[in-house]
């Protein structure tokens, strides 16, 4: 079947009328022959194997057994009755159970003939039974077709109600495959030979109607590989186009500002990872293509200093730089830290946020336009059209997921060429995902923490133990440490959440009375200047306890804080909990995190608590998060729609992804426009896939 026939509307398939077509379209998004063929089974019923009763192990496994039925009896139940038959082979026996259809069983079962039974096992108090098995006399079964694996397709309630059963879909699929004949090959023969792949046609047939479990595995491998391969081709191609077309400013030298900073100001030795990443950035800035780099690093890994040193390179080359943070609090923390570090070397730093006064703004604009100002730090106020730079060369964006495409586009218009962009994120994107999502961004990873950090000790406590937790808070405060207590604030239930926060605050005030203890509170309903004031008191050590909602989530840096208490921790996602925890453990002291939850926890909730108490590694946590929530729910990926993979699974098929990526690399390098004869089919398939949908263009 060729590419064109594959686009035939589904109503033209035999057995599909207008009604069924409607249902298939609305419920399963199956519009064409191709859509149906790519509607893959999510599991298979395997009848290729016969079990002995002595081999049975797993509850609810689907098994097939040969044996004889001995003794059928009817037993009363609370309501109605059930029919139970003893079924045995030469290794043991199980019970077959029917709750309905008794008459047929009682009248037809032949206790002399061997039977093949198939069904789901129940393990009840150590003995196995099988409710409502499929049963067939062995002699009859032998005459049947040799199909051994049956596909099970995803379905919806509406479909089953309206009579589109699994059997119906299988029948349609079977018919379509029969009329399809051979499929055009979509992979070059060199790759097929190299990886010993089966052909497209064999793969399509065997993924729906496997002739054996080996062939099924081969079919799945081939199709998953193909899916990843084309995605990677697209990403790599975009990357290549981007590199060749988008010119950027060339920063030729590392000059006095950088060197002075490095030699006389930098208060510590950079970690190996920081040095490596700086080199990567330096290389980008020195080429004449625009840099688009994502800098990933766990909380506390020291991204800020890397950003600052990159900005100094820009300044050394006569350019200005800006740093955007998602909140005012963060912007002002950056401002304070960076202006202190820049003061000795004479680099001019200013801050611009929504609450910058009009007359300050005017002065700032002037200094920005005459080039006096080197670094501008702020919230997204700094990308407003009214903000004009003399010569911006580098923009650093902290916490990438809070900035949208439109905002990034505004940035690009601020100079004759787009400034270089460094995006920093402390939400580690699992390597798997980063590879498939950000193939068109270059990625640097700081995978090493500054020396001397003690891992944060994390425990999980039920809220019934809160008094003990209070005691622990007192101990830490008496040692001179500071404490965060965080409450969830979920938009949909904001009113309840504020009540929780305020109730919590009241009880903490009672437990920690003034003047012995000083408490700050920060939440989203406060005025920015009040928030800033409270933050300031905590940062300066004037208060020992900070009660807050998640506004303190990102970036805030108070090295003396050693204890993070998270209330209703079950309501937070894994990466958010990890972010919050990262607010402590920034000084030399041992730090702690206490996760408080209610007694009742969902299975996911338990996994989240166990993951956090088990590891401090942000990447590991992100991988678990990906498994729990699925990639579609990860921060920043919602709008992508990219991850609707048809057969491959980003997590489980990670290995295949890597292989596909390396082959895609190879092809793009040798033949970026698929002009070679041997890549003709790639050209065809690529066009069919990506013709009118430019996906993944949201990031840059
Ligand atoms: P993040 O990556 O979370 O933004 P920061 O840049 O805020 O981390 O750094 C966390 C803390 O670690 C800061 O106090 C910073 O000064 C310090 N720091 C950064 N790099 C080093 C280093 N190489 N050695 C020691 N301390 C460092
Ligand atoms: Mg930071």
């Amino acid at each position: 079947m060729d590419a064109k026939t594959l686009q035939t509307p589904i109503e033209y398939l035999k057995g599909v009328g207008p009604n069924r077509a409607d249902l298939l379209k609305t419920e399963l998004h199956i519009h064409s022959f191709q859509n149906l063929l790519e509607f893959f089974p999510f599991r298979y019923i395997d009848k290729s194997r016969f079990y002995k009763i002595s081999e049975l192990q797993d509850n609810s496994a689907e098994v097939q057994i040969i044996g004889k039925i001995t003794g059928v009896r009817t037993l009363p139940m609370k309501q109605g009755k059930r029919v139970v038959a003893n079924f045995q082979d030469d290794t043991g026996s199980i019970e077959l159970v029917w709750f309905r259809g008794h008459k047929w069983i009682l009248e037809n079962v032949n206790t002399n003939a061997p039977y093949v039974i198939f069904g789901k096992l129940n393990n009840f108090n150590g003995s196995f039974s099988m409710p409502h098995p499929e049963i067939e006399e062995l002699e009859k079964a032998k005459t049947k077709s040799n199909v051994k694996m049956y596909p099970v397709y995803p379905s919806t309630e509406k479909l089953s109600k309206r009579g589109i059963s699994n059997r119906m879909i299988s029948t349609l699929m079977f018919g379509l495959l029969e009329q399809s004949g051979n499929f055009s090959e979509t992979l070059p023969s060199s790759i097929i030979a190299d990886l010993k792949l089966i052909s497209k046609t064999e793969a399509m047939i065997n993924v729906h109607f496997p002739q054996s479990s080996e062939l099924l595995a081969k079919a799945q491998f081939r199709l998953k590989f193909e899916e990843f391969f084309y995605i990677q081709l697209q990403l790599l191609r975009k990357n290549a186009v981007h590199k060749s077309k988008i010119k950027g400013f060339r920063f030729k030298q590392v000059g006095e500002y950088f060197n002075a900073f490095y030699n006389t100001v930098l208060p510590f030795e950079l970690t190996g990872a920081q040095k490596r990443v700086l080199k990567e950035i330096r290389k980008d800035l020195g080429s004449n293509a625009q840099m688009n780099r994502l800098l990933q690093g766990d909380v506390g890994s020291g991204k800020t200093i890397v950003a600052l040193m990159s900005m100094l390179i820009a300044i050394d080359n006569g350019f200005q730089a800006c740093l955007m943070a998602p909140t005012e609090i963060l912007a002002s923390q950056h401002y304070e830290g960076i202006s202190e570090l820049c003061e000795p070397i004479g680099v001019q730093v200013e801050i611009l946020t929504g609450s910058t006064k009009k007359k300050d703004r005017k002065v700032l604009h002037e200094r920005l336009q005459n080039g006096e100002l080197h670094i501008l730090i702020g919230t997204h106020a700094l990308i407003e059209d009214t903000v004009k730079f003399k010569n911006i060369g580098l923009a650093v964006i902290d916490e990438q997921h809070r900035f949208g495409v439109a905002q990034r586009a505004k940035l690009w218009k601020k100079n004759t060429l787009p400034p270089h962009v460094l995006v920093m994120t402390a939400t580690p994107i699992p390597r798997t995902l980063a590879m498939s999502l950000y193939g068109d961004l270059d990625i640097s990873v700081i995978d090493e923490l500054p020396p001397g950090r003690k891992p944060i000790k994390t425990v999980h406590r039920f809220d019934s133990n809160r008094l003990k937790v209070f005691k622990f808070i007192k101990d830490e405060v008496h040692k001179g440490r500071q404490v965060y207590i965080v409450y969830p604030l979920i938009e949909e239930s904001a009113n309840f959440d504020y009540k929780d926060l305020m109730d919590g605050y009241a009880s903490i005030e009672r437990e920690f009375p003034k003047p012995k203890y000083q408490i700050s509170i920060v939440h989203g309903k406060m005025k920015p200047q009040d928030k800033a004031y409270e933050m300031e008191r905590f940062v300066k050590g004037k208060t020992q306890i900070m009660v807050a909602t998640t506004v303190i989530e990102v970036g805030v840096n108070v090295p003396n804080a050693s204890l993070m208490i998270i209330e209703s921790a079950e309501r937070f996602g894994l990466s958010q909990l990890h972010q919050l925890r990262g607010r402590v453990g920034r000084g030399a002291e041992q730090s702690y995190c206490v996760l408080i939850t209610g007694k009742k926890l969902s299975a996911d909730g338990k996994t989240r608590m166990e993951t956090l108490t088990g590891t401090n590694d942000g990447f590991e946590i992100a991988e678990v998060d990906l498994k729990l929530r699925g990639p579609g729910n990860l921060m920043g990926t919602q709008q992508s729609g990219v991850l609707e993979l048809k057969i491959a699974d980003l997590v489980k098929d990670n290995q295949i992804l890597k292989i596909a990526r390396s082959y895609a690399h190879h092809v793009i390098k040798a033949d970026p426009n698929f002009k070679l004869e041997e890549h003709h089919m790639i050209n065809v398939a690529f066009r069919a896939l990506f013709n009118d949908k430019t996906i993944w263009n949201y990031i840059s």
Side-chain angles (χ1 to χ4, degrees):
M1 186 170 278
D2 59 25
K4 198 164 153 240
T5 326
L6 282 171
Q7 297 316 316
T8 313
I10 195 66
E11 47 266 46
Y12 293 102
L13 183 64
K14 198 166 161 254
V16 182
N19 286 337
R20 275 185 185 155
D22 261 3
L23 272 175
L24 289 174
K25 285 177 194 173
T26 53
E27 290 293 297
L28 300 174
H29 308 291
I30 295 175
H31 298 264
S32 65
F33 284 8
Q34 175 161 357
N35 291 159
L36 181 62
L37 289 164
E38 288 176 351
F39 185 62
F40 297 113
F42 73 101
R43 65 185 190 92
Y44 300 83
I45 293 171
D46 183 359
K47 292 189 182 174
S48 61
R49 171 158 184 213
F50 293 94
Y51 283 79
K52 290 287 183 191
I53 288 174
S54 60
E55 289 178 303
L56 301 181
Q57 280 182 347
D58 301 336
N59 192 22
S60 72
E62 286 178 318
V63 295
Q64 182 172 241
I65 315 170
I66 298 174
K68 279 188 179 175
I69 291 175
T70 62
V72 182
R73 56 200 191 281
T74 307
L75 297 174
M77 296 192 301
K78 248 186 218 152
Q79 282 176 356
K81 54 192 174 187
R82 67 180 191 270
V83 167
V84 176
N86 195 56
F87 182 79
Q88 65 181 52
D89 66 6
D90 49 6
T91 69
S93 68
I94 66 169
E95 281 187 344
L96 310 181
V97 186
W98 289 269
F99 299 96
R100 37 175 210 279
H102 301 157
K103 191 158 168 269
W104 187 90
I105 297 297
L106 292 170
E107 285 172 4
N108 289 286
V109 157
N110 178 350
T111 49
N112 291 317
Y115 276 90
V116 180
I117 62 159
F118 177 86
K120 213 180 209 177
L121 285 175
N122 252 338
N123 186 344
F124 188 71
N125 290 336
S127 64
F128 284 106
S129 65
M130 188 184 284
H132 291 267
E134 291 173 22
I135 77 169
E136 193 167 33
E137 281 187 37
L138 182 61
E139 285 311 309
K140 249 201 196 143
K142 278 182 180 163
T143 64
K144 284 264 179 75
S145 81
N146 57 358
V147 175
K148 298 294 185 208
M149 310 261 291
Y150 296 87
V152 183
Y153 294 96
S155 185
T156 68
E157 203 171 318
K158 195 166 171 195
L159 281 177
S160 2
K161 269 198 195 133
R162 303 271 297 267
I164 299 202
S165 60
N166 191 54
R167 180 169 300 203
M168 162 102 238
I169 302 260
S170 306
T171 309
L172 293 176
M173 197 71 78
F174 197 86
L176 181 53
L177 281 167
E178 229 171 23
Q179 83 177 67
S180 297
N182 279 340
F183 290 89
S184 315
E185 186 48 70
T186 44
L187 291 173
S189 49
S190 57
I191 294 183
I192 291 184
D194 226 31
L195 291 171
K196 302 192 174 61
L197 299 178
I198 58 175
S199 71
K200 177 88 177 187
T201 307
E202 269 185 297
M204 289 306 286
I205 292 171
N206 278 285
V207 79
H208 291 291
F209 301 102
Q211 282 154 343
S212 67
S213 44
E214 291 75 39
L215 272 167
L216 171 61
K218 285 189 172 177
Q220 287 174 323
F221 183 89
R222 141 118 214 184
L223 295 169
K224 287 173 179 179
F225 174 87
E226 180 175 340
E227 184 164 42
F228 281 141
F229 177 74
Y230 276 97
I231 289 171
Q232 294 302 323
L233 274 185
Q234 205 232 9
L235 287 171
L236 292 169
R237 202 149 175 261
K238 254 185 87 175
N239 200 2
V241 169
H242 183 93
K243 281 233 167 86
S244 64
K245 287 218 181 115
I246 301 178
K247 277 211 175 336
F249 298 115
R250 182 160 178 198
F251 298 172
K252 291 199 189 88
Q253 54 170 350
V254 167
E256 258 165 51
Y257 286 121
F258 184 98
N259 288 328
F261 179 80
Y262 191 78
N263 296 324
T264 64
V265 183
L266 187 62
F268 38 68
E269 175 82 8
L270 293 177
T271 62
Q274 285 171 319
K275 285 183 188 162
R276 188 190 65 234
V277 166
L278 255 177
K279 267 190 204 139
E280 289 164 357
I281 294 170
R282 167 84 191 90
K283 200 170 158 215
D284 283 2
L285 298 177
S287 78
N288 49 14
Q290 186 231 7
M291 174 174 81
N292 235 342
R293 190 169 275 281
L294 181 69
L295 173 55
Q296 292 193 43
D298 212 342
V299 279
S301 62
K303 295 182 292 293
T304 316
I305 213 82
V306 170
L308 172 58
M309 293 174 79
S310 309
M311 293 195 282
L312 293 179
I313 299 178
I315 299 163
D316 273 336
N317 287 274
F319 289 87
Q320 293 164 301
C322 70
L323 191 162
M324 294 199 278
T327 64
E328 292 210 4
I329 292 175
L330 273 177
S332 58
Q333 271 219 337
H334 274 312
Y335 172 66
E336 273 160 34
I338 288 175
S339 48
E340 196 182 315
L341 290 167
C342 284
E343 211 264 330
I345 53 170
V347 165
Q348 298 298 307
V349 187
E350 262 303 342
I351 180 166
L352 176 67
T353 68
S355 49
T356 304
K357 296 212 176 65
K358 214 171 167 185
K359 70 172 203 292
D360 294 340
R361 215 174 259 254
K362 197 162 163 268
V363 179
L364 191 148
H365 282 174
E366 266 172 39
R367 296 184 66 212
L368 204 56
Q369 282 198 50
N370 67 22
E372 217 176 284
L373 209 53
H374 298 116
I375 296 178
L376 183 61
I377 295 173
T379 54
H380 30 279
L382 62 75
I383 53 167
E384 293 305 313
D385 294 332
T386 48
V387 181
K388 297 201 172 71
F389 292 81
K390 182 176 181 216
N391 189 18
I392 183 158
L394 170 66
V396 179
I397 303 173
D398 197 5
E399 296 306 329
Q400 138 262 0
H401 55 266
R402 315 224 172 165
F403 280 94
V405 181
Q407 289 165 316
R408 227 161 282 155
K410 273 190 169 178
L411 234 188
W412 278 38
K413 294 202 193 110
K414 294 213 175 275
N415 207 342
T416 49
L417 287 178
H420 298 291
V421 176
L422 180 67
V423 178
M424 303 196 286
T425 176
T427 309
I429 299 158
R431 284 171 243 273
T432 13
L433 198 58
M435 243 162 80
S436 26
L437 265 185
Y438 300 106
D440 56 343
L441 266 192
D442 295 304
I443 301 178
S444 289
V445 182
I446 304 185
D447 49 7
E448 182 186 351
L449 293 182
R453 293 274 168 82
K454 295 195 181 78
I456 301 160
K457 288 189 179 150
T458 304
V459 293
H460 169 211
R461 295 283 179 265
F462 292 115
D463 46 16
S464 48
N465 277 328
R466 187 170 283 111
L467 285 181
K468 281 195 187 149
V469 177
F470 280 162
K471 165 85 172 45
F472 190 49
I473 297 177
K474 279 189 184 142
D475 291 347
E476 284 297 294
V477 170
H478 293 163
K479 281 194 241 161
R481 311 280 128 71
Q482 288 165 285
V483 179
Y484 293 102
I485 305 177
V486 176
Y487 287 80
L489 184 77
I490 316 291
E491 235 135 77
E492 301 89 75
S493 47
N495 284 334
F496 286 111
D497 287 348
Y498 275 114
K499 189 171 175 307
D500 280 357
L501 173 75
M502 288 321 198
D503 289 353
Y505 181 61
S507 76
I508 292 158
E509 269 191 318
R510 275 195 304 278
E511 195 66 31
F512 300 89
K514 277 181 198 157
K516 191 172 176 199
Y517 301 96
Q518 297 293 328
I519 307 174
S520 287
I521 181 165
V522 169
H523 59 75
K525 279 193 180 169
M526 290 163 71
K527 289 200 188 103
Q529 58 266 41
D530 296 344
K531 265 195 264 182
Y533 173 76
E534 286 291 323
M535 264 323 291
E536 176 102 355
R537 294 207 309 149
F538 188 68
V539 172
K540 296 249 160 85
K542 290 186 180 144
T543 60
Q544 300 105 350
I545 300 175
M546 161 64 75
V547 177
T549 55
T550 47
V551 290
I552 57 140
E553 181 187 335
V554 279
V556 177
N557 193 17
V558 181
N560 188 48
S562 62
L563 175 57
M564 166 64 67
I565 313 275
I566 305 175
E567 290 279 353
S568 305
E570 69 270 38
R571 293 181 57 199
F572 292 94
L574 258 182
S575 47
Q576 207 178 8
L577 288 169
H578 179 62
Q579 288 293 312
L580 285 169
R581 175 168 66 177
R583 296 309 105 215
V584 298
R586 306 189 139 237
E589 303 305 329
Q590 176 63 56
S591 289
Y592 305 89
C593 174
V594 182
L595 307 167
I596 300 183
T597 72
K599 261 257 146 36
K600 268 197 189 151
L601 275 183
S602 66
D604 273 14
K606 268 192 201 132
T607 310
R608 273 180 272 148
M609 298 310 130
E610 282 163 12
T611 307
L612 279 163
T613 52
T615 180
N616 271 301
D617 180 338
F619 279 101
E620 207 178 312
I621 290 166
E623 295 279 355
V624 177
D625 206 20
L626 179 63
K627 276 175 205 166
L628 285 182
R629 302 204 287 169
N633 293 319
L634 278 191
M635 255 182 215
T637 62
Q638 289 92 336
Q639 77 274 51
S640 67
V642 281
L643 294 148
E644 288 164 22
L645 296 173
K646 293 193 185 92
I647 187 163
D649 179 315
L650 273 177
V651 179
K652 292 191 201 119
D653 302 320
N654 183 232
Q655 228 19 59
I656 307 178
L657 169 59
K658 283 185 189 151
I659 300 170
R661 185 169 174 83
S662 91
Y663 277 91
H665 243 299
H666 220 73
V667 169
I668 288 283
K669 223 174 150 192
D671 182 20
N673 294 313
F674 318 132
K675 290 277 191 270
L676 295 178
E677 180 55 36
E678 65 194 89
H679 293 153
H680 179 68
M681 79 268 286
I682 294 185
N683 205 357
V684 174
F686 194 88
R687 272 165 206 286
L689 273 172
F690 301 118
N691 211 359
D692 43 23
K693 38 179 184 189
T694 349
I695 48 177
W696 302 324
N697 54 2
Y698 64 97
I699 187 83
S700 53

